[in-house]
Amino acid sequence: MPYDHNLVVIGGGAAGLVSSYIAAAVKAKVTLVENQRMGGDCLYTGCVPSKTLLRTAHLLHDIKHATQYGIGQAEATIDFAEVMQRIRTTITQIEPHDSVARYRALGVHCVLGQASLLSPHLVKVVQGEHSQLLSTANIIIATGAHPSVPSIPGLAQIAYLTSDTLWNLRELPKRLLVLGAGPIGCEMAQAFARLGSEVQLVEMATQILPREDACVAEVLHQALLADGITVHLGSKVTQFSQHSAQLHTGQQLAFDQVLIALGRSPNTAGLGLEALGIQLDAKHTISHNGLMQTAQKNIYVCGDVAGPYQFTHVAAHQAWYASVNALFRPFKQFTADYRVIPAATFTSPEVARVGLNEQEAKAQNIAYEISHYALDDLDRAIADGDNHGFVRVLSRPNKDQILGVTIVGKHAAEMLPEFVLAMKHGIGLNKILGTIHAYPTWSEANKYAAGIWKKAHAPEWALRLLDCYHDLRRRG
């Protein structure tokens, strides 16, 4: 049967924007449906505002510690309302990149409204009192996620904050309680502590950043303590009352504001999935195969609502597979590739990783070697006064194959792409060692980590022969 569209994309966040752009670029007729604002969480409540806030917090920290750089009497005061205004200004500057006007110019038809699926080929869009039906050959669901809020007695009775509502603050909380020491919790705890809040961080696991190796978490843990943050590990809140939270130990934690940073849950309500036989998996993301295809073969999914990673760059990565597979099946189909996924936590120090870490290698019973280079030996790190952290490379035993890399330190996220590229294209540490790195730069640490691997694998028999050779040369 004929359809009005080749593709309808539901959701105007990172995944939906990339999906619709790709469709328009290959001349497909595509409509993008968004029920709030183009740009999604990343622009308004996620990546952009959080990194803008962190920039101010880290700058204030540097000013307060300026004496270590030979600068005396450096002083700064904070106007929190102006800090939050800067965040809004930053969002306004970036908004045109994701705007309706831009995507219409690219060939995408944009519709604002609430979408639901009436059939595998029919999408209903409600705009206030009006509605319209869109018939389409294919559908991509890219509806994102929302902050997860636990069912803790008393929580519903207080005005708690999440990563969605945090940006409405206009006064700096004197006492901030943060639940969850994952990337979001650690970033915001450190940001507010550096801005002047008294911060307490509560985590159920026995370490912060539970998915990272213990040595990685410990470096950041010490940094958080140095910022004056009180960290409660192996703890959970059992009861909230106004301005007070009770831990399972009975300890009472006073606060003026509480931030819930316990992950994000997929947006699947109201889409009409169940009627179409589209199921959710154990993590409440939409079940799909490697082609990003749901139980309805013409309906695809990408982004946070698909999992397993909730990163903007993964959403864009999945969007390519979803849109190409939808538009070109059965002639071309590609299985999503998750082998090389970078991730970064933008605390100070930063934590950046790609591939396996040690705890994951052990859990999967994968043999590995570790090449560890400490940044206190790096000339540029010493010159910058930030010589803390390390580059940690896991490789296959006696093989030049990188399994994973974790970098802890300033600019860690900017240092990581060299390893991402290497792993993506099968480049080993030997070639990284043989690549010229400008001096003095932070990326030299990658070369030195490769050098540690090379030294550990130097052939002893060849070195003995060289020793004899040079001895003979000396003797003439």
Side-chain angles (χ1 to χ4, degrees):
M1 63 178 292
Y3 303 107
D4 295 332
H5 299 82
N6 300 104
L7 179 65
V8 169
V9 179
I10 303 174
L17 292 173
V18 174
S19 297
S20 59
Y21 168 74
I22 291 173
V26 296
K27 304 305 179 183
K29 185 175 182 182
V30 55
T31 287
L32 173 63
V33 183
E34 168 57 42
N35 69 339
Q36 293 183 2
R37 298 173 292 188
M38 295 277 282
D41 297 327
C42 182
L43 175 59
Y44 291 101
T45 62
C47 314
V48 171
S50 64
K51 303 316 168 274
T52 307
L53 181 67
L54 284 166
R55 176 68 181 95
T56 300
H58 295 336
L59 175 60
L60 184 61
H61 177 269
D62 288 344
I63 293 172
K64 290 180 178 179
H65 293 81
T67 54
Q68 73 182 69
Y69 299 99
I71 302 173
Q73 298 180 339
E75 296 181 0
T77 57
I78 179 175
D79 185 330
F80 188 73
E82 285 298 316
V83 172
M84 301 306 280
Q85 178 57 47
R86 179 175 177 269
I87 291 173
R88 293 193 294 276
T89 300
T90 301
I91 292 171
T92 301
Q93 290 176 327
I94 296 176
E95 270 181 325
H97 301 172
D98 300 338
S99 65
V100 169
R102 183 189 180 205
Y103 276 79
R104 283 177 176 166
L106 292 171
V108 178
H109 179 57
C110 300
V111 175
L112 296 178
Q114 180 67 49
S116 59
L117 308 180
L118 300 184
S119 79
H121 296 281
L122 194 62
V123 177
K124 180 180 180 180
V125 181
V126 177
Q127 303 162 289
E129 297 180 356
H130 304 284
S131 65
Q132 61 178 304
L133 299 180
L134 307 175
S135 67
T136 179
N138 301 284
I139 298 168
I140 290 178
I141 301 172
T143 47
H146 61 275
S148 300
V149 179
S151 298
I152 300 175
L155 179 59
Q157 282 69 53
I158 66 173
Y160 61 85
L161 301 170
T162 68
S163 58
D164 280 0
T165 60
L166 172 66
W167 314 109
N168 297 326
L169 286 177
R170 293 298 175 267
E171 294 184 5
L172 180 70
K174 181 180 179 182
R175 300 170 300 177
L176 176 67
L177 174 63
V178 180
L179 265 60
I184 295 174
C186 287
E187 287 181 359
M188 293 300 95
Q190 188 175 56
F192 277 88
R194 290 187 165 188
L195 291 173
S197 295
E198 298 173 9
V199 178
Q200 299 198 73
L201 180 61
V202 177
E203 170 58 49
M204 291 181 61
T206 56
Q207 68 172 51
I208 64 172
L209 299 183
R211 295 182 180 179
E212 303 301 333
D213 288 336
C215 62
V216 173
E218 181 58 22
V219 173
L220 181 56
H221 190 161
Q222 293 303 317
L224 297 183
L225 294 179
D227 284 322
I229 298 171
T230 302
V231 181
H232 303 271
L233 297 177
S235 301
K236 61 179 180 180
V237 174
T238 58
Q239 177 77 42
F240 278 101
S241 59
Q242 200 68 24
H243 303 303
S244 180
Q246 180 176 298
L247 297 183
H248 71 290
T249 59
Q251 182 181 1
Q252 296 287 333
L253 306 180
F255 63 83
D256 297 302
Q257 295 281 359
V258 58
L259 171 63
I260 307 298
L262 298 172
R264 298 175 63 79
S265 301
N267 294 326
T268 58
L271 290 173
L273 301 179
E274 186 175 347
L276 298 182
I278 298 175
Q279 302 296 319
L280 305 183
D281 61 22
K283 295 184 177 180
H284 305 290
T285 54
I286 297 176
S287 295
H288 60 280
N289 61 19
L291 304 176
M292 310 308 298
Q293 196 174 43
T294 68
Q296 295 289 345
K297 299 306 180 183
N298 71 304
I299 300 179
Y300 293 76
V301 62
C302 56
D304 288 358
V305 75
Y309 306 97
Q310 293 185 337
F311 304 136
T312 297
H313 47 279
V314 173
H317 180 70
Q318 292 176 331
W320 185 90
Y321 290 96
S323 54
V324 169
N325 288 338
L327 293 171
F328 295 103
R329 79 172 192 278
F331 307 108
K332 284 287 186 180
Q333 293 190 112
F334 301 90
T335 301
D337 182 2
Y338 298 116
R339 292 174 301 167
V340 186
I341 301 294
T345 300
F346 294 92
T347 46
S348 178
E350 294 180 358
V351 176
R353 177 155 70 95
V354 61
L356 295 175
N357 62 14
E358 190 172 10
Q359 65 169 286
E360 291 173 341
K362 288 179 178 178
Q364 298 176 37
N365 199 28
I366 296 175
Y368 62 91
E369 295 178 348
I370 294 178
S371 301
H372 183 103
Y373 175 73
L375 294 178
D376 60 4
D377 184 62
L378 183 68
D379 291 0
R380 182 56 185 269
I382 295 170
D384 283 358
D386 283 298
N387 51 328
H388 309 288
F390 50 79
V391 177
R392 185 175 173 88
V393 183
L394 270 66
S395 58
R396 289 201 181 276
N398 301 311
K399 290 186 178 180
D400 190 7
Q401 181 184 358
I402 302 171
L403 296 173
V405 180
T406 300
I407 305 176
V408 180
K410 193 171 186 179
H411 305 303
E414 307 298 336
M415 296 162 63
L416 191 68
E418 183 172 21
F419 288 112
V420 177
L421 179 70
M423 292 180 66
K424 177 71 174 178
H425 297 285
I427 297 170
L429 291 166
N430 211 32
K431 290 189 176 180
I432 290 178
L433 179 61
T435 299
I436 298 174
H437 293 69
Y439 177 88
T441 58
W442 284 84
S443 65
E444 281 189 297
N446 298 346
K447 179 183 71 174
Y448 293 140
I452 289 173
W453 174 87
K454 183 71 171 180
K455 184 177 181 180
H457 293 83
E460 293 296 329
W461 63 269
L463 293 175
R464 287 194 295 269
L465 285 177
L466 287 172
D467 186 46
C468 293
Y469 166 76
H470 290 300
D471 184 54
L472 290 173
R473 291 292 300 267
R474 288 195 305 272
R475 296 180 185 184

mmCIF file of all heavy atoms in Angstrom, residues 384-424:
data_model
loop_
_atom_site.group_PDB
_atom_site.id
_atom_site.type_symbol
_atom_site.label_atom_id
_atom_site.label_comp_id
_atom_site.label_asym_id
_atom_site.label_seq_id
_atom_site.Cartn_x
_atom_site.Cartn_y
_atom_site.Cartn_z
ATOM 1 N N ASP A 384 51.702 21.982 34.302
ATOM 2 C CA ASP A 384 50.358 22.509 34.549
ATOM 3 C C ASP A 384 49.951 22.420 36.012
ATOM 4 O O ASP A 384 48.914 22.964 36.403
ATOM 5 C CB ASP A 384 49.341 21.751 33.704
ATOM 6 C CG ASP A 384 49.361 22.189 32.245
ATOM 7 O OD1 ASP A 384 50.133 23.101 31.912
ATOM 8 O OD2 ASP A 384 48.601 21.613 31.436
ATOM 9 N N GLY A 385 50.745 21.715 36.820
ATOM 10 C CA GLY A 385 50.388 21.554 38.223
ATOM 11 C C GLY A 385 49.229 20.613 38.443
ATOM 12 O O GLY A 385 48.532 20.687 39.455
ATOM 13 N N ASP A 386 48.992 19.696 37.486
ATOM 14 C CA ASP A 386 47.895 18.735 37.576
ATOM 15 C C ASP A 386 48.408 17.319 37.345
ATOM 16 O O ASP A 386 47.797 16.526 36.619
ATOM 17 C CB ASP A 386 46.808 19.056 36.547
ATOM 18 C CG ASP A 386 45.945 20.229 36.961
ATOM 19 O OD1 ASP A 386 45.286 20.131 38.002
ATOM 20 O OD2 ASP A 386 45.953 21.244 36.237
ATOM 21 N N ASN A 387 49.545 17.014 37.943
ATOM 22 C CA ASN A 387 50.182 15.721 37.698
ATOM 23 C C ASN A 387 49.625 14.640 38.628
ATOM 24 O O ASN A 387 50.329 14.039 39.429
ATOM 25 C CB ASN A 387 51.705 15.828 37.844
ATOM 26 C CG ASN A 387 52.137 16.468 39.144
ATOM 27 O OD1 ASN A 387 51.454 17.332 39.673
ATOM 28 N ND2 ASN A 387 53.283 16.053 39.658
ATOM 29 N N HIS A 388 48.308 14.401 38.480
ATOM 30 C CA HIS A 388 47.629 13.364 39.251
ATOM 31 C C HIS A 388 46.838 12.493 38.291
ATOM 32 O O HIS A 388 46.186 13.000 37.381
ATOM 33 C CB HIS A 388 46.679 13.970 40.286
ATOM 34 C CG HIS A 388 47.326 15.014 41.151
ATOM 35 N ND1 HIS A 388 48.242 14.706 42.120
ATOM 36 C CD2 HIS A 388 47.195 16.359 41.165
ATOM 37 C CE1 HIS A 388 48.640 15.815 42.716
ATOM 38 N NE2 HIS A 388 48.018 16.838 42.147
ATOM 39 N N GLY A 389 46.884 11.187 38.488
ATOM 40 C CA GLY A 389 46.125 10.267 37.655
ATOM 41 C C GLY A 389 47.021 9.325 36.894
ATOM 42 O O GLY A 389 48.219 9.201 37.173
ATOM 43 N N PHE A 390 46.436 8.663 35.885
ATOM 44 C CA PHE A 390 47.195 7.645 35.164
ATOM 45 C C PHE A 390 46.510 7.270 33.855
ATOM 46 O O PHE A 390 45.336 7.583 33.634
ATOM 47 C CB PHE A 390 47.379 6.394 36.024
ATOM 48 C CG PHE A 390 46.107 5.878 36.640
ATOM 49 C CD1 PHE A 390 45.202 5.118 35.907
ATOM 50 C CD2 PHE A 390 45.803 6.150 37.966
ATOM 51 C CE1 PHE A 390 44.030 4.641 36.473
ATOM 52 C CE2 PHE A 390 44.627 5.683 38.557
ATOM 53 C CZ PHE A 390 43.746 4.919 37.799
ATOM 54 N N VAL A 391 47.276 6.582 33.013
ATOM 55 C CA VAL A 391 46.746 5.912 31.826
ATOM 56 C C VAL A 391 46.910 4.415 32.069
ATOM 57 O O VAL A 391 48.010 3.944 32.368
ATOM 58 C CB VAL A 391 47.495 6.324 30.547
ATOM 59 C CG1 VAL A 391 46.955 5.553 29.342
ATOM 60 C CG2 VAL A 391 47.389 7.822 30.321
ATOM 61 N N ARG A 392 45.823 3.685 31.953
ATOM 62 C CA ARG A 392 45.810 2.262 32.298
ATOM 63 C C ARG A 392 45.285 1.479 31.093
ATOM 64 O O ARG A 392 44.108 1.623 30.718
ATOM 65 C CB ARG A 392 44.914 2.068 33.523
ATOM 66 C CG ARG A 392 44.860 0.684 34.128
ATOM 67 C CD ARG A 392 44.004 0.777 35.396
ATOM 68 N NE ARG A 392 43.719 -0.497 36.010
ATOM 69 C CZ ARG A 392 44.503 -1.086 36.899
ATOM 70 N NH1 ARG A 392 45.641 -0.519 37.253
ATOM 71 N NH2 ARG A 392 44.156 -2.249 37.434
ATOM 72 N N VAL A 393 46.144 0.670 30.488
ATOM 73 C CA VAL A 393 45.803 -0.050 29.267
ATOM 74 C C VAL A 393 45.746 -1.545 29.542
ATOM 75 O O VAL A 393 46.693 -2.121 30.087
ATOM 76 C CB VAL A 393 46.822 0.223 28.146
ATOM 77 C CG1 VAL A 393 46.401 -0.491 26.864
ATOM 78 C CG2 VAL A 393 46.957 1.732 27.900
ATOM 79 N N LEU A 394 44.621 -2.169 29.169
ATOM 80 C CA LEU A 394 44.506 -3.617 29.207
ATOM 81 C C LEU A 394 44.741 -4.160 27.810
ATOM 82 O O LEU A 394 44.153 -3.671 26.833
ATOM 83 C CB LEU A 394 43.114 -4.050 29.691
ATOM 84 C CG LEU A 394 42.920 -4.260 31.192
ATOM 85 C CD1 LEU A 394 43.055 -2.941 31.941
ATOM 86 C CD2 LEU A 394 41.575 -4.910 31.477
ATOM 87 N N SER A 395 45.600 -5.156 27.707
ATOM 88 C CA SER A 395 45.893 -5.775 26.409
ATOM 89 C C SER A 395 45.906 -7.291 26.557
ATOM 90 O O SER A 395 46.017 -7.818 27.680
ATOM 91 C CB SER A 395 47.238 -5.284 25.870
ATOM 92 O OG SER A 395 48.283 -5.566 26.790
ATOM 93 N N ARG A 396 45.801 -7.991 25.435
ATOM 94 C CA ARG A 396 45.854 -9.455 25.475
ATOM 95 C C ARG A 396 47.273 -9.900 25.822
ATOM 96 O O ARG A 396 48.246 -9.319 25.322
ATOM 97 C CB ARG A 396 45.436 -10.051 24.143
ATOM 98 C CG ARG A 396 43.951 -9.892 23.860
ATOM 99 C CD ARG A 396 43.457 -10.893 22.833
ATOM 100 N NE ARG A 396 42.045 -10.695 22.558
ATOM 101 C CZ ARG A 396 41.061 -11.197 23.286
ATOM 102 N NH1 ARG A 396 41.346 -11.933 24.344
ATOM 103 N NH2 ARG A 396 39.802 -10.986 22.964
ATOM 104 N N PRO A 397 47.429 -10.924 26.639
ATOM 105 C CA PRO A 397 48.769 -11.375 27.022
ATOM 106 C C PRO A 397 49.612 -11.746 25.803
ATOM 107 O O PRO A 397 49.166 -12.503 24.934
ATOM 108 C CB PRO A 397 48.487 -12.601 27.901
ATOM 109 C CG PRO A 397 47.111 -12.376 28.434
ATOM 110 C CD PRO A 397 46.368 -11.678 27.335
ATOM 111 N N ASN A 398 50.785 -11.139 25.749
ATOM 112 C CA ASN A 398 51.763 -11.427 24.700
ATOM 113 C C ASN A 398 51.262 -11.116 23.295
ATOM 114 O O ASN A 398 51.768 -11.655 22.313
ATOM 115 C CB ASN A 398 52.207 -12.900 24.771
ATOM 116 C CG ASN A 398 52.814 -13.241 26.115
ATOM 117 O OD1 ASN A 398 53.679 -12.521 26.616
ATOM 118 N ND2 ASN A 398 52.366 -14.340 26.708
ATOM 119 N N LYS A 399 50.262 -10.242 23.202
ATOM 120 C CA LYS A 399 49.766 -9.812 21.896
ATOM 121 C C LYS A 399 49.594 -8.302 21.908
ATOM 122 O O LYS A 399 49.247 -7.707 22.922
ATOM 123 C CB LYS A 399 48.426 -10.479 21.556
ATOM 124 C CG LYS A 399 48.537 -11.956 21.265
ATOM 125 C CD LYS A 399 47.198 -12.507 20.794
ATOM 126 C CE LYS A 399 47.300 -13.978 20.445
ATOM 127 N NZ LYS A 399 46.001 -14.527 19.976
ATOM 128 N N ASP A 400 49.809 -7.699 20.759
ATOM 129 C CA ASP A 400 49.647 -6.249 20.649
ATOM 130 C C ASP A 400 48.210 -5.922 20.267
ATOM 131 O O ASP A 400 47.927 -5.415 19.181
ATOM 132 C CB ASP A 400 50.639 -5.703 19.615
ATOM 133 C CG ASP A 400 50.689 -4.181 19.623
ATOM 134 O OD1 ASP A 400 50.052 -3.586 20.510
ATOM 135 O OD2 ASP A 400 51.366 -3.610 18.757
ATOM 136 N N GLN A 401 47.294 -6.237 21.172
ATOM 137 C CA GLN A 401 45.870 -5.980 20.955
ATOM 138 C C GLN A 401 45.300 -5.306 22.196
ATOM 139 O O GLN A 401 45.358 -5.863 23.291
ATOM 140 C CB GLN A 401 45.103 -7.268 20.664
ATOM 141 C CG GLN A 401 43.624 -7.033 20.413
ATOM 142 C CD GLN A 401 42.855 -8.321 20.209
ATOM 143 O OE1 GLN A 401 43.421 -9.401 20.213
ATOM 144 N NE2 GLN A 401 41.548 -8.211 20.028
ATOM 145 N N ILE A 402 44.747 -4.117 22.021
ATOM 146 C CA ILE A 402 44.190 -3.352 23.135
ATOM 147 C C ILE A 402 42.788 -3.857 23.451
ATOM 148 O O ILE A 402 41.929 -3.934 22.573
ATOM 149 C CB ILE A 402 44.143 -1.848 22.790
ATOM 150 C CG1 ILE A 402 45.535 -1.326 22.442
ATOM 151 C CG2 ILE A 402 43.546 -1.051 23.947
ATOM 152 C CD1 ILE A 402 45.538 0.078 21.878
ATOM 153 N N LEU A 403 42.555 -4.194 24.714
ATOM 154 C CA LEU A 403 41.231 -4.624 25.167
ATOM 155 C C LEU A 403 40.430 -3.474 25.766
ATOM 156 O O LEU A 403 39.201 -3.465 25.688
ATOM 157 C CB LEU A 403 41.375 -5.729 26.219
ATOM 158 C CG LEU A 403 42.000 -7.043 25.756
ATOM 159 C CD1 LEU A 403 42.219 -7.959 26.947
ATOM 160 C CD2 LEU A 403 41.104 -7.718 24.727
ATOM 161 N N GLY A 404 41.121 -2.534 26.377
ATOM 162 C CA GLY A 404 40.436 -1.413 26.996
ATOM 163 C C GLY A 404 41.426 -0.437 27.592
ATOM 164 O O GLY A 404 42.572 -0.784 27.867
ATOM 165 N N VAL A 405 40.960 0.788 27.779
ATOM 166 C CA VAL A 405 41.810 1.851 28.322
ATOM 167 C C VAL A 405 40.986 2.689 29.289
ATOM 168 O O VAL A 405 39.840 3.052 28.989
ATOM 169 C CB VAL A 405 42.363 2.758 27.201
ATOM 170 C CG1 VAL A 405 43.236 3.864 27.797
ATOM 171 C CG2 VAL A 405 43.138 1.945 26.168
ATOM 172 N N THR A 406 41.571 2.987 30.429
ATOM 173 C CA THR A 406 40.977 3.943 31.365
ATOM 174 C C THR A 406 42.001 5.035 31.642
ATOM 175 O O THR A 406 43.163 4.735 31.941
ATOM 176 C CB THR A 406 40.585 3.273 32.697
ATOM 177 O OG1 THR A 406 39.640 2.233 32.439
ATOM 178 C CG2 THR A 406 39.951 4.295 33.640
ATOM 179 N N ILE A 407 41.588 6.278 31.512
ATOM 180 C CA ILE A 407 42.460 7.415 31.786
ATOM 181 C C ILE A 407 41.827 8.240 32.905
ATOM 182 O O ILE A 407 40.641 8.576 32.839
ATOM 183 C CB ILE A 407 42.672 8.292 30.543
ATOM 184 C CG1 ILE A 407 43.202 7.456 29.373
ATOM 185 C CG2 ILE A 407 43.642 9.441 30.853
ATOM 186 C CD1 ILE A 407 43.355 8.233 28.069
ATOM 187 N N VAL A 408 42.614 8.538 33.917
ATOM 188 C CA VAL A 408 42.177 9.395 35.015
ATOM 189 C C VAL A 408 43.106 10.592 35.069
ATOM 190 O O VAL A 408 44.334 10.425 35.162
ATOM 191 C CB VAL A 408 42.219 8.643 36.360
ATOM 192 C CG1 VAL A 408 41.764 9.558 37.494
ATOM 193 C CG2 VAL A 408 41.348 7.399 36.310
ATOM 194 N N GLY A 409 42.560 11.782 34.984
ATOM 195 C CA GLY A 409 43.388 12.977 35.028
ATOM 196 C C GLY A 409 42.761 14.109 34.246
ATOM 197 O O GLY A 409 41.713 13.956 33.605
ATOM 198 N N LYS A 410 43.406 15.261 34.306
ATOM 199 C CA LYS A 410 42.926 16.400 33.539
ATOM 200 C C LYS A 410 43.018 16.079 32.051
ATOM 201 O O LYS A 410 43.983 15.481 31.591
ATOM 202 C CB LYS A 410 43.763 17.636 33.873
ATOM 203 C CG LYS A 410 43.168 18.927 33.369
ATOM 204 C CD LYS A 410 43.908 20.135 33.912
ATOM 205 C CE LYS A 410 43.234 21.439 33.521
ATOM 206 N NZ LYS A 410 43.927 22.618 34.067
ATOM 207 N N HIS A 411 42.005 16.481 31.299
ATOM 208 C CA HIS A 411 41.944 16.255 29.844
ATOM 209 C C HIS A 411 41.845 14.787 29.478
ATOM 210 O O HIS A 411 42.124 14.414 28.328
ATOM 211 C CB HIS A 411 43.151 16.882 29.142
ATOM 212 C CG HIS A 411 43.356 18.329 29.413
ATOM 213 N ND1 HIS A 411 42.402 19.281 29.160
ATOM 214 C CD2 HIS A 411 44.411 18.997 29.961
ATOM 215 C CE1 HIS A 411 42.856 20.477 29.514
ATOM 216 N NE2 HIS A 411 44.067 20.327 30.022
ATOM 217 N N ALA A 412 41.435 13.923 30.398
ATOM 218 C CA ALA A 412 41.349 12.493 30.100
ATOM 219 C C ALA A 412 40.433 12.218 28.913
ATOM 220 O O ALA A 412 40.748 11.400 28.049
ATOM 221 C CB ALA A 412 40.856 11.735 31.331
ATOM 222 N N ALA A 413 39.296 12.911 28.861
ATOM 223 C CA ALA A 413 38.355 12.688 27.762
ATOM 224 C C ALA A 413 38.939 13.093 26.419
ATOM 225 O O ALA A 413 38.614 12.506 25.381
ATOM 226 C CB ALA A 413 37.059 13.455 28.018
ATOM 227 N N GLU A 414 39.821 14.099 26.413
ATOM 228 C CA GLU A 414 40.445 14.536 25.167
ATOM 229 C C GLU A 414 41.598 13.615 24.763
ATOM 230 O O GLU A 414 41.952 13.541 23.578
ATOM 231 C CB GLU A 414 40.975 15.964 25.317
ATOM 232 C CG GLU A 414 39.960 16.970 25.828
ATOM 233 C CD GLU A 414 38.777 17.144 24.898
ATOM 234 O OE1 GLU A 414 38.915 16.860 23.693
ATOM 235 O OE2 GLU A 414 37.703 17.553 25.380
ATOM 236 N N MET A 415 42.181 12.913 25.726
ATOM 237 C CA MET A 415 43.271 11.980 25.436
ATOM 238 C C MET A 415 42.754 10.643 24.920
ATOM 239 O O MET A 415 43.472 9.910 24.231
ATOM 240 C CB MET A 415 44.107 11.754 26.694
ATOM 241 C CG MET A 415 44.823 13.001 27.191
ATOM 242 S SD MET A 415 45.350 12.848 28.911
ATOM 243 C CE MET A 415 46.502 11.482 28.817
ATOM 244 N N LEU A 416 41.520 10.308 25.260
ATOM 245 C CA LEU A 416 40.991 8.982 24.956
ATOM 246 C C LEU A 416 40.822 8.672 23.471
ATOM 247 O O LEU A 416 41.022 7.520 23.067
ATOM 248 C CB LEU A 416 39.649 8.800 25.672
ATOM 249 C CG LEU A 416 39.070 7.385 25.674
ATOM 250 C CD1 LEU A 416 39.920 6.453 26.521
ATOM 251 C CD2 LEU A 416 37.626 7.396 26.177
ATOM 252 N N PRO A 417 40.433 9.631 22.598
ATOM 253 C CA PRO A 417 40.120 9.277 21.212
ATOM 254 C C PRO A 417 41.231 8.554 20.459
ATOM 255 O O PRO A 417 40.933 7.776 19.538
ATOM 256 C CB PRO A 417 39.803 10.635 20.565
ATOM 257 C CG PRO A 417 39.249 11.441 21.681
ATOM 258 C CD PRO A 417 40.060 11.036 22.879
ATOM 259 N N GLU A 418 42.497 8.790 20.805
ATOM 260 C CA GLU A 418 43.573 8.060 20.132
ATOM 261 C C GLU A 418 43.415 6.554 20.336
ATOM 262 O O GLU A 418 43.601 5.762 19.414
ATOM 263 C CB GLU A 418 44.931 8.523 20.660
ATOM 264 C CG GLU A 418 46.104 7.860 19.960
ATOM 265 C CD GLU A 418 47.438 8.468 20.360
ATOM 266 O OE1 GLU A 418 47.514 9.107 21.434
ATOM 267 O OE2 GLU A 418 48.413 8.306 19.602
ATOM 268 N N PHE A 419 43.023 6.169 21.547
ATOM 269 C CA PHE A 419 42.812 4.760 21.827
ATOM 270 C C PHE A 419 41.514 4.250 21.205
ATOM 271 O O PHE A 419 41.426 3.092 20.790
ATOM 272 C CB PHE A 419 42.801 4.514 23.338
ATOM 273 C CG PHE A 419 44.156 4.643 23.987
ATOM 274 C CD1 PHE A 419 44.415 5.679 24.858
ATOM 275 C CD2 PHE A 419 45.163 3.733 23.705
ATOM 276 C CE1 PHE A 419 45.657 5.797 25.467
ATOM 277 C CE2 PHE A 419 46.407 3.842 24.307
ATOM 278 C CZ PHE A 419 46.660 4.879 25.181
ATOM 279 N N VAL A 420 40.486 5.109 21.142
ATOM 280 C CA VAL A 420 39.232 4.730 20.485
ATOM 281 C C VAL A 420 39.504 4.408 19.021
ATOM 282 O O VAL A 420 39.052 3.388 18.487
ATOM 283 C CB VAL A 420 38.181 5.849 20.613
ATOM 284 C CG1 VAL A 420 36.904 5.479 19.860
ATOM 285 C CG2 VAL A 420 37.861 6.124 22.078
ATOM 286 N N LEU A 421 40.253 5.273 18.366
ATOM 287 C CA LEU A 421 40.616 5.053 16.967
ATOM 288 C C LEU A 421 41.420 3.772 16.812
ATOM 289 O O LEU A 421 41.179 2.974 15.896
ATOM 290 C CB LEU A 421 41.416 6.248 16.448
ATOM 291 C CG LEU A 421 41.891 6.168 14.998
ATOM 292 C CD1 LEU A 421 40.710 6.286 14.046
ATOM 293 C CD2 LEU A 421 42.917 7.253 14.703
ATOM 294 N N ALA A 422 42.387 3.572 17.709
ATOM 295 C CA ALA A 422 43.239 2.385 17.629
ATOM 296 C C ALA A 422 42.414 1.109 17.761
ATOM 297 O O ALA A 422 42.575 0.157 16.979
ATOM 298 C CB ALA A 422 44.314 2.449 18.711
ATOM 299 N N MET A 423 41.515 1.077 18.743
ATOM 300 C CA MET A 423 40.704 -0.121 18.940
ATOM 301 C C MET A 423 39.726 -0.329 17.789
ATOM 302 O O MET A 423 39.482 -1.470 17.372
ATOM 303 C CB MET A 423 39.961 -0.020 20.264
ATOM 304 C CG MET A 423 40.866 -0.092 21.485
ATOM 305 S SD MET A 423 39.948 0.036 23.049
ATOM 306 C CE MET A 423 38.979 -1.481 23.000
ATOM 307 N N LYS A 424 39.166 0.735 17.271
ATOM 308 C CA LYS A 424 38.208 0.628 16.169
ATOM 309 C C LYS A 424 38.846 0.003 14.940
ATOM 310 O O LYS A 424 38.220 -0.790 14.224
ATOM 311 C CB LYS A 424 37.669 2.027 15.833
ATOM 312 C CG LYS A 424 36.715 2.076 14.647
ATOM 313 C CD LYS A 424 35.384 1.444 14.971
ATOM 314 C CE LYS A 424 34.396 1.624 13.830
ATOM 315 N NZ LYS A 424 33.099 0.974 14.115
#
